[in-house]
Amino acid sequence: MLKTMSEPDKKEITPEEAPENGTRITNIGNTSKTVNGKTKDDFDLAAVYLSDAQYNRNIFFDTTPQAIRLYLLYNHWGLQILVYAFIIVDLALAIFEDPAVVPLPIWVTSVIELVCLAAFTARLVHYAKVIPRERFWKDPKNICIFVIILLSLVDMIIYGALKATGFYAVRWSRVLRPLLLVNITEGRQLRRAFRSIRNALPQILYVFLLFMFSVLMFSLMALKLFGKRDLKTTEGRPYFTNYLEIVFDLYVLVTTANSPDVMMPAYNFSVFFAVFFIIYILINTYIFMSVFLAVVYNNYKKYLKEEVRLLVRAKRHKMVRAFGVLQERKGEEEPVVSQACWNQLVRLVQPDISNAHRELLWSVSDDNNKGCIGKVAFVQLADLLNIQVIMMKSRPHPLQTWLPSLYLSSPSRLVCRMVQHRAFVYTYDLIILVNAVFIGLDEDDPLIANVEWAFLVLYLLEILLKLYSFEPRAFFSRHQFWNWFDTIIVITALIAMIINSALKLSGGYTSRQILDIVFILRILRLIRVVDSIKRFRAIINTLIKIGPTILTFGQLIVVVYYIFAMVGMELFKGKIRFSRLTPLIQIRHSVETPCSKTQHSSTQLLQEQL
Amino acid sequence: MLKTMSEPDKKEITPEEAPENGTRITNIGNTSKTVNGKTKDDFDLAAVYLSDAQYNRNIFFDTTPQAIRLYLLYNHWGLQILVYAFIIVDLALAIFEDPAVVPLPIWVTSVIELVCLAAFTARLVHYAKVIPRERFWKDPKNICIFVIILLSLVDMIIYGALKATGFYAVRWSRVLRPLLLVNITEGRQLRRAFRSIRNALPQILYVFLLFMFSVLMFSLMALKLFGKRDLKTTEGRPYFTNYLEIVFDLYVLVTTANSPDVMMPAYNFSVFFAVFFIIYILINTYIFMSVFLAVVYNNYKKYLKEEVRLLVRAKRHKMVRAFGVLQERKGEEEPVVSQACWNQLVRLVQPDISNAHRELLWSVSDDNNKGCIGKVAFVQLADLLNIQVIMMKSRPHPLQTWLPSLYLSSPSRLVCRMVQHRAFVYTYDLIILVNAVFIGLDEDDPLIANVEWAFLVLYLLEILLKLYSFEPRAFFSRHQFWNWFDTIIVITALIAMIINSALKLSGGYTSRQILDIVFILRILRLIRVVDSIKRFRAIINTLIKIGPTILTFGQLIVVVYYIFAMVGMELFKGKIRFSRLTPLIQIRHSVETPCSKTQHSSTQLLQEQL
């Protein structure tokens, strides 16, 4: 953690706090349109390069002032969220379309889909205005989105027409919907993951083929060993006589799902045949599956490293361009960027950055205090801006300002020292553990229900004491995850319990839903114990940090699942019906089959041992 | 691959081939007892240091000539194999002891165990004579073996006495047997693996505790959410009302073994309760189990790297000692080892090394051709000796020497060129594939049975053709794994088929066992196809290379399994009996339970959807 410096910079152009938006920047420092001979357009261009480097965007945009303004708008977080919202709505439509979980009339879903498609088209047109025309049509992403929109429209028209005339129709274009998630400009991470997987596939394929070869060889061996022995499975069917069935059975055996069952007829015939299955599991389940994992891990890592290397190079390239826009040359010396230009640029890119934070970044870049920085120092700016700086302002407690005599009195000081003592944390950990025991007991007992109120009061007291001894703004600062967690849970639990009690008192009736919420909140409160143990906190923090990566993979899984779900829905829709009694019994029988196999073979085994 | 040089070394002390044993070395080069002023004892000591470095032995032995000779005997491969043989016999005794798979009288197993214990004692006494007395008793390994032997003896006496007087007795010392595998001096690799696991445990433990905490929290939530709803499982038992049962059910859910079943009563009550189970599986199965794997992998790797670092340091240390023994100082210069001493040392350590190979190693060490090497070059010798050098002697084919006119005639040359052509390999790959199809067909058809003979002849022809065009000694050299594999399989198959046919012709009777062997050999022959594809060969070679490491882990698993098997055998011995009909039905019922749950819940679900 870096603490910001407190000494003010003498060369600061403006005494104002950081400006809120781009329009005010042009008037800063009374230089009207230029700073050190650079126009607002120059700064806009440099700022775009810088923020592209900062967020790893690789878009080849037009450098005309108008295109840059459009590009800035294109990258606005509001529009990006809007695009994702439309994609989610578009994907969620499957819930309301035929065959639907919640059926809606066909015109409603069609209108919503049309709105979504219009939004995607608008976004695409916007993008087309930002980048040069010939680049636009060379990019497969754009063509992909264009084709998806077009095919969806065609499909909607065909489907509508067929439905209106009473024909059978399939909404086949729904399969394409998740591809939008991959092809929009914001889907960079997802594309990178897909690319790494695609590049790793050949290596994985070879191990997979070798694994399949091994399964086929073992199946052939099983056919030859067991096929002629006239063995019967527990249902009386011939055992291991059909090659394809053996391959399927042994393939399932790799997952150990049918582990003892598949072996039992052979085992009952001779104990030594178990050796065949043990060797099979050793080779295929243990060795090949482990090699599979190792190959996937190694190759994915290798190609992802390659992607990161390319990213770093692109980032450097963009920063060099930004430097080229803002550089000043003084005679024969190396070109430099002055602090005034630098300040202007940083304020454009991050309007909410504090003066102290900006000064800190400058002092890191300009470590010799020359008032200007060269190319090497400038290029680091994108990374510097990405470093999270936590500001620790040691402000006095508000009570100290309002009631200094009371707050600084010795009993008040004692309270503060107590709260800040380790024993305070341990005491509350103990309270949480006792609470856990009480939660486990029967809550219908009125005594235990009342004890819950006592715990709630204790938790409220803890928050109030902490607010008393720590500065409230520091306590509720952005990075204090557990404080926020605690407070929200305790307050929500308080509200839910009050509502519950009010309901109980008024009508003698308890809402099960509210009780559920109360119970869940009570148990969530116990999680806090994790924060007291340093090692646990480290693991949790690591998990939170890899969250965004997991989210990317979540999207990847959504894409794959959605496509399979759509295809499966259209394939199996209406194929399985349970209108008569006979098929039900058949299905019941087939569900029973794998289990009864185990059970019969086990009993056979037992009977043999008698 | 390094090819050995052919030019002879002028300074070679002896024109003889490498000597077979240590006793002849003293007379080499007519220097009677010394080479460059170093006695045979010096060479023995240096050789012991060198071979210790080469095989990563870390034994602090006595440096007296007598102790060194004992130490050389102690490290003899024959004795080492003998120790492992006794351990295997000792471990295998469990099969013949009460409760036994193959019962033997108690006096037989006791005598065998006594012989084994005597062997271990002898080995321990031998070791005690090699290393200093005070070192011996400080090493926990030795104390461990001593205690195991002592406890085994005590247990045998007590068991024998109790059995003789008709009391109930337990052979509790059998649990200790696998510990011998870890504590013998040859169990270094195993101890290293155990040490790495032990060091990695604390890190793993924290993740495990956090995981258990998560399971306990979810169980508490499940108790509160479902316990009061009066839900019933498909067997009519109350659903999720007992906390410990919930913990067990949810723990099993992490393995997804009871995945839909455990959820069904709640799912039937409300579809939204599925969210609870989905979140549970996401957090515990996917995130925690993956973190678990990552932590185990990372920590094991870290500590193993540390072990390897220590090994490398110890190796260097030993080589420096060996250098100290053999070094010669010429005035003010750095101490060196002369080539004569070096040759003597290498011949002592690896008597079967060829002159050419030794010269190659010397030329690598003495790259300036000074006739002597310094410390830095000498220290590398242990690693140099571990490099596998494949000798490619381009000898003429024996037929060329015997019948040069025939072998060098143009038809003979054409055959050689054909066999060495790629198309030859492809042709035989095709033959193997066709063979695979024929194997899959019904072998009772006489046509197919005869085709098998044709294939066998084709394979024999392949081997003969290869022996004709390649030099036989090169074809059957040690590293030609696939040639050996092919030849052995084809010849064995030929013999088995001939025996089978002879039996059939003589008595009209086919031995099922011989047929099984024939079938397995036929299928094994198909594996050869793998060798033709480069990528597959690379994967197989990698798997073969990690074989020894897997073997170490195999021993580790044997140790753990054996202990659990022994404890489990003594605990559950005679507890479960199937003499009456009632318990059998009960067991059958309990086997049925997990499955019928699925099936009932599935049918309930189906009925609801009607």
Side-chain angles (χ1 to χ4, degrees):
Chain A
M1 273 195 294
L2 293 162
K3 292 197 182 189
T4 52
M5 307 181 312
S6 53
E7 49 164 334
D9 192 352
K10 300 293 180 291
K11 292 174 206 145
E12 188 64 31
I13 334 169
T14 162
E16 295 167 18
E17 267 298 315
E20 264 72 51
N21 51 50
T23 54
R24 277 182 64 191
I25 295 167
T26 47
N27 300 319
I28 284 166
N30 301 328
T31 52
S32 91
K33 278 276 177 198
T34 59
V35 175
N36 287 21
K38 306 290 170 194
T39 63
K40 186 181 173 300
D41 289 340
D42 288 340
F43 280 111
D44 275 351
L45 183 59
V48 167
Y49 281 133
L50 176 55
S51 71
D52 273 12
Q54 198 184 345
Y55 299 112
N56 287 320
R57 284 191 288 258
N58 281 317
I59 297 168
F60 188 88
F61 54 86
D62 253 341
T63 50
T64 60
Q66 204 194 350
I68 289 169
R69 245 158 262 141
L70 269 173
Y71 184 57
L72 281 172
L73 182 67
Y74 186 80
N75 285 330
H76 193 274
W77 58 268
L79 283 182
Q80 294 189 351
I81 287 177
L82 214 64
V83 167
Y84 273 105
F86 274 116
I87 288 179
I88 290 169
V89 168
D90 195 31
L91 289 177
L93 273 180
I95 301 170
F96 308 104
E97 286 167 346
D98 180 61
V101 182
V102 186
L104 279 184
I106 190 167
W107 66 267
V108 176
T109 56
S110 300
V111 167
I112 295 173
E113 187 162 9
L114 276 178
V115 171
C116 290
L117 291 180
F120 302 142
T121 314
R123 184 82 176 156
L124 199 64
V125 169
H126 190 167
Y127 189 62
K129 295 216 166 169
V130 168
I131 68 169
R133 186 61 49 90
E134 67 279 7
R135 282 257 164 188
F136 181 81
W137 289 113
K138 267 183 194 159
D139 193 340
K141 290 196 295 291
N142 303 324
I143 296 169
C144 221
I145 296 178
F146 184 74
V147 168
I148 290 169
I149 294 172
L150 216 68
L151 286 178
S152 297
L153 277 174
V154 169
D155 183 32
M156 278 171 76
I157 293 164
I158 295 175
Y159 184 79
L162 282 173
K163 274 278 153 182
T165 51
F167 281 99
Y168 176 76
V170 174
R171 280 297 324 260
W172 47 265
S173 74
R174 295 193 287 190
V175 170
L176 304 172
R177 283 179 192 161
L179 296 181
L180 283 168
L181 213 51
V182 184
N183 285 302
I184 54 167
T185 34
E186 288 76 21
R188 273 170 222 109
Q189 286 272 51
L190 205 54
R191 280 196 296 277
R192 224 164 277 147
F194 261 114
R195 219 154 38 218
S196 301
I197 290 174
R198 202 183 51 204
N199 288 333
L201 269 186
Q203 304 288 328
I204 299 167
L205 195 73
Y206 279 104
V207 178
F208 181 75
L209 285 179
L210 203 57
F211 160 71
M212 279 316 297
F213 179 78
S214 158
V215 171
L216 291 178
M217 284 293 102
F218 271 101
S219 302
L220 200 54
M221 234 181 256
L223 178 69
K224 291 286 131 179
L225 280 181
F226 308 122
K228 289 279 160 189
R229 286 208 150 81
D230 277 331
L231 301 177
K232 294 263 176 279
T233 61
T234 40
E235 295 113 65
R237 286 187 299 133
Y239 176 70
F240 272 10
T241 51
N242 180 317
Y243 184 63
L244 290 180
E245 273 177 22
I246 298 173
V247 171
F248 182 74
D249 276 349
L250 289 188
Y251 172 72
V252 175
L253 181 58
V254 173
T255 67
T256 69
N258 60 353
S259 184
D261 317 4
V262 75
M263 174 174 90
M264 290 326 288
Y267 182 81
N268 290 339
F269 183 82
S270 163
V271 177
F272 292 101
F273 279 131
V275 174
F276 173 83
F277 292 95
I278 291 171
I279 291 176
Y280 178 84
I281 287 183
L282 272 182
I283 290 182
N284 289 297
T285 307
Y286 292 121
I287 295 182
F288 269 114
M289 287 298 111
S290 305
V291 171
F292 212 72
L293 179 67
V295 169
V296 170
Y297 171 78
N298 261 339
N299 278 287
Y300 187 79
K301 204 175 157 191
K302 188 174 89 185
Y303 288 108
L304 207 63
K305 260 187 188 166
E306 185 63 20
E307 291 278 338
V308 169
R309 217 176 51 79
L310 288 177
L311 268 190
V312 168
R313 196 198 280 169
K315 182 183 266 186
R316 218 194 102 81
H317 196 67
K318 272 172 247 152
M319 288 310 290
V320 168
R321 282 181 172 223
F323 183 78
V325 173
L326 294 185
Q327 69 185 13
E328 295 161 36
R329 204 179 280 271
K330 290 170 187 167
E332 287 295 292
E333 285 172 62
E334 288 284 299
V336 290
V337 166
S338 68
Q339 191 176 5
C341 285
W342 189 91
N343 276 330
Q344 183 76 318
L345 178 68
V346 171
R347 268 190 299 232
L348 251 179
V349 172
Q350 290 210 335
D352 55 341
I353 200 169
S354 72
N355 276 348
H357 186 176
R358 208 182 55 236
E359 280 157 27
L360 173 72
L361 293 186
W362 176 258
S363 70
V364 170
S365 298
D366 179 25
D367 48 359
N368 294 330
N369 255 325
K370 288 196 284 183
C372 56
I373 52 174
K375 202 196 250 180
V376 176
F378 184 83
V379 163
Q380 295 172 350
L381 179 58
D383 294 323
L384 280 180
L385 284 175
N386 277 340
I387 293 171
Q388 209 192 345
V389 175
I390 295 169
M391 304 245 281
M392 307 269 278
K393 285 181 190 150
S394 57
R395 276 183 285 210
H397 198 281
L399 281 177
Q400 201 180 335
T401 347
W402 301 336
L403 300 164
S405 57
L406 186 72
Y407 194 74
L408 297 173
S409 65
S410 60
S412 164
R413 281 192 174 180
L414 184 70
V415 168
C416 288
R417 264 217 307 285
M418 264 170 57
V419 171
Q420 286 165 24
H421 197 269
R422 272 193 161 184
F424 185 77
V425 176
Y426 293 150
T427 312
Y428 266 94
D429 284 349
L430 193 72
I431 289 173
I432 288 172
L433 288 178
V434 173
N435 191 186
V437 174
F438 271 93
I439 290 173
L441 297 174
D442 190 16
E443 78 272 1
D444 284 347
D445 191 333
L447 177 76
I448 288 164
N450 290 333
V451 165
E452 259 310 315
W453 282 104
F455 279 115
L456 201 58
V457 168
L458 277 173
Y459 293 130
L460 268 177
L461 188 70
E462 185 198 8
I463 293 173
L464 290 176
L465 278 173
K466 278 189 175 170
L467 278 177
Y468 182 78
S469 59
F470 297 106
E471 209 276 324
R473 271 166 296 181
F475 186 76
F476 283 126
S477 71
R478 222 186 303 170
H479 60 281
Q480 296 284 9
F481 172 74
W482 289 106
N483 291 344
W484 281 98
F485 180 84
D486 261 19
T487 315
I488 290 171
I489 289 216
V490 168
I491 304 257
T492 324
L494 186 69
I495 294 169
M497 271 181 88
I498 288 169
I499 292 176
N500 190 40
S501 300
L503 279 174
K504 217 173 187 175
L505 285 176
S506 64
Y509 148 87
T510 328
S511 163
R512 196 71 229 180
Q513 272 72 33
I514 291 178
L515 262 185
D516 280 350
I517 293 169
V518 169
F519 286 141
I520 289 174
L521 288 172
R522 270 185 209 161
I523 292 161
L524 285 179
R525 226 156 49 196
L526 304 182
I527 293 176
R528 230 269 316 265
V529 133
V530 166
D531 190 45
S532 313
I533 299 159
K534 217 171 146 191
R535 296 273 201 151
F536 285 175
R537 199 163 47 203
I539 297 171
I540 296 279
N541 285 341
T542 311
L543 285 181
I544 289 171
K545 257 178 210 145
I546 61 172
T549 319
I550 291 179
L551 218 66
T552 305
F553 267 88
Q555 284 185 49
L556 209 142
I557 289 167
V558 163
V559 170
V560 177
Y561 264 55
Y562 197 93
I563 293 176
F564 272 92
M566 283 299 131
V567 172
M569 200 166 81
E570 295 295 354
L571 280 180
F572 306 130
K573 171 174 77 179
K575 289 279 189 306
I576 297 165
R577 292 185 187 285
F578 307 105
S579 46
R580 284 179 308 276
L581 194 65
T582 345
L584 186 66
I585 288 169
Q586 275 179 2
I587 283 156
R588 214 170 141 167
H589 180 77
S590 72
V591 169
E592 212 170 353
T593 312
C595 298
S596 47
K597 213 188 266 179
T598 338
Q599 140 203 347
H600 283 271
S601 47
S602 312
T603 44
Q604 268 188 20
L605 195 66
L606 297 181
Q607 279 162 349
E608 269 197 1
Q609 286 178 341
L610 287 178
Chain B
M1 273 196 295
L2 292 163
K3 292 197 180 191
T4 51
M5 306 181 311
S6 52
E7 50 165 334
D9 193 350
K10 300 293 181 292
K11 292 173 209 148
E12 188 64 33
I13 335 170
T14 163
E16 296 167 19
E17 268 300 313
E20 265 70 54
N21 53 49
T23 52
R24 280 181 61 193
I25 294 169
T26 46
N27 300 321
I28 283 168
N30 303 325
T31 52
S32 90
K33 277 276 175 196
T34 59
V35 175
N36 287 21
K38 307 290 170 193
T39 62
K40 185 181 175 302
D41 290 338
D42 288 340
F43 280 111
D44 276 349
L45 182 58
V48 166
Y49 280 133
L50 176 56
S51 72
D52 274 11
Q54 200 185 344
Y55 300 113
N56 289 319
R57 285 191 287 256
N58 280 315
I59 297 167
F60 188 89
F61 53 87
D62 253 342
T63 49
T64 60
Q66 204 194 352
I68 289 170
R69 244 159 262 142
L70 269 174
Y71 183 57
L72 280 171
L73 183 66
Y74 186 80
N75 285 330
H76 194 274
W77 59 267
L79 282 183
Q80 294 189 352
I81 286 177
L82 215 62
V83 166
Y84 272 106
F86 274 115
I87 288 179
I88 289 169
V89 168
D90 195 31
L91 288 177
L93 273 180
I95 301 170
F96 308 102
E97 286 167 345
D98 180 60
V101 181
V102 186
L104 280 183
I106 192 165
W107 65 268
V108 176
T109 57
S110 299
V111 167
I112 296 174
E113 188 162 8
L114 276 178
V115 171
C116 290
L117 291 180
F120 302 142
T121 314
R123 183 83 176 154
L124 198 64
V125 170
H126 189 167
Y127 189 62
K129 295 218 166 167
V130 168
I131 68 170
R133 186 61 49 90
E134 69 278 8
R135 283 257 166 188
F136 181 82
W137 290 113
K138 268 184 192 160
D139 193 340
K141 289 195 295 291
N142 304 326
I143 296 167
C144 219
I145 295 177
F146 185 74
V147 168
I148 290 170
I149 293 171
L150 216 68
L151 286 177
S152 296
L153 277 175
V154 169
D155 183 33
M156 278 171 76
I157 292 163
I158 294 175
Y159 183 79
L162 282 172
K163 275 277 154 183
T165 51
F167 280 97
Y168 176 78
V170 173
R171 280 296 325 259
W172 48 265
S173 74
R174 294 194 286 188
V175 171
L176 304 173
R177 283 180 194 162
L179 295 180
L180 283 169
L181 213 50
V182 185
N183 286 302
I184 55 167
T185 33
E186 289 76 21
R188 271 169 223 111
Q189 287 272 49
L190 205 55
R191 279 197 296 278
R192 225 164 276 148
F194 262 113
R195 219 157 34 222
S196 300
I197 290 173
R198 202 183 52 205
N199 287 332
L201 268 186
Q203 304 288 329
I204 299 167
L205 195 72
Y206 279 103
V207 177
F208 181 74
L209 285 179
L210 203 57
F211 160 70
M212 280 316 296
F213 178 78
S214 159
V215 171
L216 292 178
M217 284 291 104
F218 270 99
S219 303
L220 200 54
M221 235 182 256
L223 179 68
K224 290 287 133 177
L225 279 180
F226 308 122
K228 287 284 160 185
R229 286 208 150 82
D230 278 333
L231 301 177
K232 293 264 177 279
T233 62
T234 40
E235 295 114 63
R237 285 188 300 133
Y239 176 67
F240 272 10
T241 50
N242 180 318
Y243 184 64
L244 289 181
E245 274 178 20
I246 298 174
V247 172
F248 182 72
D249 277 348
L250 289 188
Y251 172 72
V252 174
L253 182 58
V254 173
T255 67
T256 69
N258 58 355
S259 184
D261 319 3
V262 74
M263 172 174 93
M264 290 326 287
Y267 182 81
N268 290 339
F269 183 82
S270 162
V271 176
F272 292 101
F273 279 131
V275 174
F276 173 83
F277 292 95
I278 290 171
I279 292 176
Y280 178 84
I281 286 183
L282 273 182
I283 291 182
N284 289 298
T285 308
Y286 292 120
I287 296 182
F288 269 114
M289 287 298 110
S290 305
V291 171
F292 212 71
L293 179 67
V295 169
V296 170
Y297 171 78
N298 260 338
N299 278 287
Y300 186 80
K301 205 175 157 189
K302 189 174 88 184
Y303 288 108
L304 207 61
K305 262 188 188 165
E306 184 64 21
E307 292 278 340
V308 169
R309 215 176 52 80
L310 288 177
L311 269 189
V312 169
R313 196 198 282 167
K315 181 182 268 188
R316 218 194 102 81
H317 196 68
K318 270 171 248 149
M319 286 311 291
V320 168
R321 283 182 172 221
F323 183 79
V325 173
L326 294 184
Q327 70 185 11
E328 295 161 37
R329 204 179 281 269
K330 290 169 186 165
E332 287 295 289
E333 285 171 64
E334 287 285 298
V336 290
V337 168
S338 69
Q339 192 176 3
C341 286
W342 189 90
N343 276 330
Q344 183 78 319
L345 177 67
V346 171
R347 266 191 299 236
L348 252 179
V349 172
Q350 291 210 333
D352 56 342
I353 199 168
S354 71
N355 276 349
H357 186 177
R358 207 182 55 236
E359 279 157 26
L360 172 72
L361 294 186
W362 175 258
S363 71
V364 169
S365 298
D366 179 26
D367 47 0
N368 295 330
N369 256 324
K370 288 195 288 185
C372 58
I373 51 173
K375 201 196 252 179
V376 176
F378 185 82
V379 163
Q380 293 172 351
L381 179 57
D383 295 322
L384 281 179
L385 284 175
N386 277 340
I387 294 172
Q388 209 192 344
V389 175
I390 295 169
M391 303 244 283
M392 306 268 278
K393 284 181 192 152
S394 57
R395 275 183 286 210
H397 197 281
L399 281 177
Q400 202 179 337
T401 348
W402 300 336
L403 301 163
S405 56
L406 185 72
Y407 193 75
L408 296 173
S409 66
S410 59
S412 165
R413 280 191 175 181
L414 184 70
V415 168
C416 287
R417 264 215 309 283
M418 264 171 57
V419 171
Q420 286 165 24
H421 198 270
R422 271 191 162 186
F424 185 78
V425 176
Y426 292 149
T427 311
Y428 267 93
D429 285 350
L430 193 72
I431 290 172
I432 289 172
L433 288 179
V434 173
N435 192 186
V437 173
F438 272 92
I439 290 173
L441 296 173
D442 190 16
E443 77 273 1
D444 285 348
D445 191 332
L447 177 77
I448 289 164
N450 290 333
V451 165
E452 260 307 317
W453 281 105
F455 279 114
L456 201 58
V457 168
L458 278 174
Y459 293 130
L460 268 177
L461 188 70
E462 186 197 7
I463 293 172
L464 290 176
L465 278 173
K466 279 189 175 169
L467 278 177
Y468 183 78
S469 58
F470 298 105
E471 210 277 322
R473 270 166 296 182
F475 185 77
F476 284 124
S477 71
R478 220 187 304 171
H479 61 282
Q480 296 283 9
F481 172 72
W482 288 107
N483 291 344
W484 282 99
F485 181 84
D486 261 18
T487 314
I488 290 170
I489 288 214
V490 169
I491 305 262
T492 326
L494 186 70
I495 294 168
M497 271 180 85
I498 289 169
I499 293 175
N500 190 39
S501 300
L503 280 175
K504 217 173 184 175
L505 284 175
S506 65
Y509 148 88
T510 327
S511 163
R512 195 72 231 180
Q513 270 72 33
I514 291 179
L515 262 185
D516 280 349
I517 291 168
V518 169
F519 288 140
I520 289 173
L521 287 172
R522 269 185 210 163
I523 293 161
L524 284 179
R525 225 157 49 194
L526 304 182
I527 294 175
R528 228 268 316 264
V529 134
V530 166
D531 190 46
S532 314
I533 299 160
K534 218 172 148 189
R535 297 272 201 152
F536 285 175
R537 200 164 45 203
I539 298 171
I540 295 281
N541 285 341
T542 312
L543 285 181
I544 291 171
K545 257 178 209 144
I546 61 174
T549 320
I550 291 179
L551 220 66
T552 306
F553 267 87
Q555 285 184 50
L556 208 143
I557 289 168
V558 163
V559 169
V560 176
Y561 263 56
Y562 198 92
I563 292 176
F564 272 91
M566 283 301 131
V567 172
M569 200 166 81
E570 295 295 354
L571 279 180
F572 306 130
K573 172 174 74 178
K575 289 281 190 304
I576 297 166
R577 291 187 188 282
F578 308 104
S579 47
R580 283 179 308 274
L581 195 65
T582 345
L584 186 67
I585 285 167
Q586 275 178 1
I587 282 155
R588 211 170 144 168
H589 180 76
S590 72
V591 169
E592 212 171 353
T593 312
C595 298
S596 48
K597 214 189 267 180
T598 338
Q599 142 201 349
H600 283 272
S601 48
S602 312
T603 43
Q604 266 187 22
L605 196 66
L606 296 180
Q607 279 161 349
E608 268 196 3
Q609 286 178 341
L610 288 178

